[in-house]
Amino acid sequence: APTDGDWSFMDQVNGSGHVDNVSIITFPTATANWGYASGVAIIDNATYGAGNLLFHAALDNARDIENNDTFSFPANGLDIYLS
């Protein structure tokens, strides 16, 4: 699971802020077709199906995740804006 050191926290201005990933985020290699990845969600628990949904958004470049694909976000590739 990511730690605070995996994220950059930008200064808040008027209650708004910006967070992004410092290092690459890589998901396990798909062992079957996972389907269409069209969005991202930030959850407060690392266990699949557990926890609370904190944020969600559509991906700029949605795509199918097929068998043997490895889905990842490059460093500084996942930007979260809070307002």
Side-chain angles (χ1 to χ4, degrees), residues 7-74:
W7 300 93
S8 68
F9 299 96
M10 305 299 177
D11 291 333
Q12 289 193 356
V13 178
N14 297 324
S16 296
H18 174 223
V19 178
D20 68 1
N21 59 310
V22 173
S23 48
I24 190 169
I25 299 172
T26 302
F27 291 84
T29 299
T31 57
N33 292 341
W34 286 359
Y36 190 65
S38 61
V40 63
I42 306 296
I43 311 293
D44 64 0
N45 193 308
T47 302
Y48 179 77
N52 301 294
L53 175 65
L54 302 176
F55 308 101
H56 64 90
L59 292 172
D60 289 339
N61 297 307
R63 69 179 186 95
D64 284 310
I65 309 297
E66 298 178 346
N67 190 35
N68 292 319
D69 284 348
T70 302
F71 186 73
S72 64
F73 292 98

